[in-house]
Amino acid sequence: MSAYCNDCHRPLAEGAVCSCAYTRSWYSGAADRIETGRNTRMVTLVAIGAAVVIAVAVLVVVTMKNSPAPVVVTGQDRVVANMQASTQTEYVPYVPPPATVTTVQRPPTTVISDSLRTLRSYAAGDLGTLRATANGRWVAQLSSKQPGTVAHGMRYDTDMILSEHLTLRSRYPGSLLVWTGDWPSYKNPDYWATVGGTVYATPEAANAWCDQQGFPKDDCYAKRLRTTGGPDGNTKLR
């Protein structure tokens, strides 16, 4: 009589073991292994969670210990704090911006001294006489200066030039004042020259008069006055 497997109902030889028994045994072991793995993972997760909770609790405790105690601010405290802040504010004085200064350029003012006016007046009054009597003739020039001329250890200005001319005019009657700019026979047109009132035909005669009067040779010498031409040939030094 044939035997049958009670689990899979396959016929079996007398005394044989059905192969399904091995299959059931393997599946049964696999299930146990799976269950064991699940249990192991569950224990690991629980341990990790517990460690995290403990770490967070420790961090909170440490933070609370290091944090300053809470301060309760009342309305009165705010008023006092505001008053202290207002009294401790640094005072910064007001500094006005620099004023803008506008400089107006004015043309230079030429001041004409009384002595200069007097010199011009004498030269203008004597010009007609000299043109009428001395044009083309030789005269003795007693002095020739402009403001700034240094002579006899002095620097002359218009006051000193006028004073010297009036002295010569008084000492040698007939002497006249020449503004050299009126006569082309002068090389420099901006001098005041005092000339004697006598005219001569030759320069030697004019220089002879200077010798007779005892003038130093650089102070008195012959000069020809001309309204035309140039300065060449119109001066004869002693």
Side-chain angles (χ1 to χ4, degrees), residues 1 24 35 45 67 75 90 120 128 133 141 147 150 211:
M1 182 175 181
R24 287 195 307 271
E35 185 65 24
L45 291 175
S67 299
E90 181 180 359
R120 289 178 176 178
T133 61
Q141 179 175 287
V150 177
D211 291 335

Side-chain angles (χ1 to χ4, degrees), residues 34-56:
I34 291 173
E35 185 65 24
T36 301
R38 289 176 179 174
N39 294 335
T40 303
R41 287 194 297 273
M42 182 60 69
V43 172
T44 302
L45 291 175
V46 171
I48 293 174
V52 171
V53 171
I54 293 172
V56 171

Side-chain angles (χ1 to χ4, degrees), residues 34-132:
I34 291 173
E35 185 65 24
T36 301
R38 289 176 179 174
N39 294 335
T40 303
R41 287 194 297 273
M42 182 60 69
V43 172
T44 302
L45 291 175
V46 171
I48 293 174
V52 171
V53 171
I54 293 172
V56 171
V58 172
L59 179 61
V60 170
V61 172
V62 173
T63 303
M64 292 180 66
K65 287 183 178 180
N66 295 332
S67 299
V71 179
V72 179
V73 180
T74 64
Q76 182 177 1
D77 294 333
R78 294 192 182 93
V79 173
V80 173
N82 292 334
M83 292 179 62
Q84 292 177 348
S86 62
T87 57
Q88 293 177 359
T89 301
E90 181 180 359
Y91 172 71
V92 179
Y94 170 74
V95 179
T100 302
V101 179
T102 302
T103 303
V104 178
Q105 297 293 337
R106 300 181 184 275
T109 302
T110 302
V111 179
I112 300 177
S113 64
D114 292 339
S115 57
L116 180 58
R117 290 192 181 92
T118 303
L119 288 170
R120 289 178 176 178
S121 177
Y122 272 110
D126 294 342
L127 180 60
T129 301
L130 289 169
R131 284 179 174 175

